[in-house]
Amino acid sequence: MSKQIGVLRGLLTAAAAAAFIVTWSSGFIIPAFATVDVAPLTLLVWRFVPLAIVLLLIVRVSGAAKGVTRRDVRTQALIGLFAQFGYCAAVYGAVATGIATGTVALIDAVQPLIVAVLVGPILGLRVRGSQWAGLALGAVGVLLVVRSQFGSSAAPPIAYLLPATAMVCLIVGTFLQRRSAVQTGVLVTLAIHVTVTAVLLLVVSAATGSLVPPASASFWLAVVLTALFPTLAAYGLYWWLLRRVGITALQALLFLIAPATAIAGGILLGEPLTIVTFVGFALCGLGVAAVLRGEAKTRREQSALAA
């Protein structure tokens, strides 16, 4: 019975990881379509404001916030400031400047290496030699994936600071969450993050004259899609997987975001896909496999010691 439960848990985690990759990648693709005739800030604010209202109502009716303290709310608000507001604002800005979606996804691909360097001194976690090798292999794969897309953008060089800013924001938010003793449920976590982001976006969009939305059906379809997939699904899975598989394994999964985004960008947006791109895909997959295998070995050793 325990073996069957273990298999089911593994299948559930694998399904969640696949869904995470697809939904997180959609956060790059949808804005590329939706911000052609609309200011990125306009789409972003209406992505979060209605969703914040809905989530707060669900939390209130369900009683999910029972036992959540003001300190918990403050901590999650700070995490949301970086992981959602800072990250999403920078990503949307990068896509709006014309940087290829696969290149913007480089922010998620470089992040694992930075996190792997920092988990030791900040969290006191061990990263195995095989995991370092896998991270390095994945990084090479990602660089190959995005190399074929760098020439397809007319964005000014300074625009590439936006993906870098997004990467830093998500790293800070992830470490704040991992170090925090606050363990609010995924629903409450999302509600706080989305609400903080919505309030800040309302202020910024009102100040810049970007608040009034267009009446087009395509805009509101994009609002619904971005609220459901890259916000609810992707962020919910991100925090769930962080607790489920650990920070190193989760960062390894981020290596697959750039290939997934590049494929979608090639199919839907006509962005370039070359032989070099597909070689990069293969290296990304090998890198992720090496990191996950090392993580599984560490967990087995910890279980053996505990027994």
Side-chain angles (χ1 to χ4, degrees):
M1 179 64 72
S2 61
K3 185 176 181 180
Q4 291 176 336
I5 293 174
V7 170
L8 290 175
R9 283 175 58 88
L11 290 174
L12 176 61
T13 302
F20 165 70
I21 292 165
V22 172
T23 54
W24 196 278
S25 297
S26 72
F28 302 106
I29 300 298
I30 298 173
F33 282 104
T35 58
V36 173
D37 300 315
V38 178
L41 188 57
T42 304
L43 175 61
L44 201 54
V45 69
W46 289 105
R47 163 184 169 178
F48 281 97
V49 170
L51 183 59
I53 296 171
V54 171
L55 286 174
L56 289 174
L57 287 173
I58 293 174
V59 169
R60 179 67 180 271
V61 171
S62 66
K66 185 178 181 180
V68 176
T69 65
R70 290 183 178 180
R71 176 177 172 273
D72 296 339
V73 173
R74 287 195 301 270
T75 300
Q76 289 296 354
L78 179 62
I79 294 169
L81 172 66
F82 288 100
Q84 235 173 35
F85 173 74
Y87 179 82
C88 290
V91 164
Y92 270 58
V95 171
T97 63
I99 301 175
T101 54
T103 302
V104 178
L106 179 63
I107 57 177
D108 291 311
V110 174
Q111 179 182 327
L113 283 179
I114 298 175
V115 170
V117 171
L118 296 177
V119 289
I122 293 179
L123 300 179
L125 301 178
R126 176 191 176 193
V127 179
R128 292 176 173 272
S130 60
Q131 290 176 297
W132 278 109
L135 289 165
L137 190 63
V140 171
V142 166
L143 290 174
L144 291 177
V145 169
V146 300
R147 176 172 172 252
S148 63
Q149 297 189 331
F150 270 117
S152 65
S153 172
I158 195 171
Y160 287 88
L161 290 176
L162 288 168
T165 299
M167 176 188 67
V168 171
C169 285
L170 189 57
I171 289 173
V172 172
T174 301
F175 273 110
L176 286 174
Q177 181 78 299
R178 191 65 175 79
R179 281 181 62 99
S180 173
V182 174
Q183 294 293 324
T184 55
V186 171
L187 176 60
V188 174
T189 299
L190 279 175
I192 296 171
H193 292 185
V194 169
T195 300
V196 167
T197 303
V199 170
L200 292 172
L201 287 172
L202 273 173
V203 173
V204 175
S205 60
T208 58
S210 305
L211 183 58
V212 180
S216 65
S218 60
F219 171 81
W220 291 106
L221 175 61
V223 166
V224 172
L225 291 176
T226 52
L228 290 178
F229 294 108
T231 308
L232 276 181
Y235 268 98
L237 288 167
Y238 186 86
W239 301 124
W240 186 82
L241 286 166
L242 180 62
R243 297 177 185 178
R244 180 87 167 194
V245 302
I247 191 169
T248 305
L250 176 58
Q251 298 307 302
L253 290 176
L254 289 176
F255 275 133
L256 299 179
I257 300 295
T261 304
I263 290 174
I267 295 172
L268 300 174
L269 302 172
E271 294 175 349
L273 290 174
T274 67
I275 295 297
V276 174
T277 308
F278 288 101
V279 172
F281 292 165
L283 293 179
C284 285
L286 291 172
V288 170
V291 173
L292 294 179
R293 186 167 55 187
E295 187 76 13
K297 186 173 182 180
T298 298
R299 288 178 178 270
R300 287 195 299 270
E301 291 177 353
Q302 289 174 343
S303 298
L305 290 174

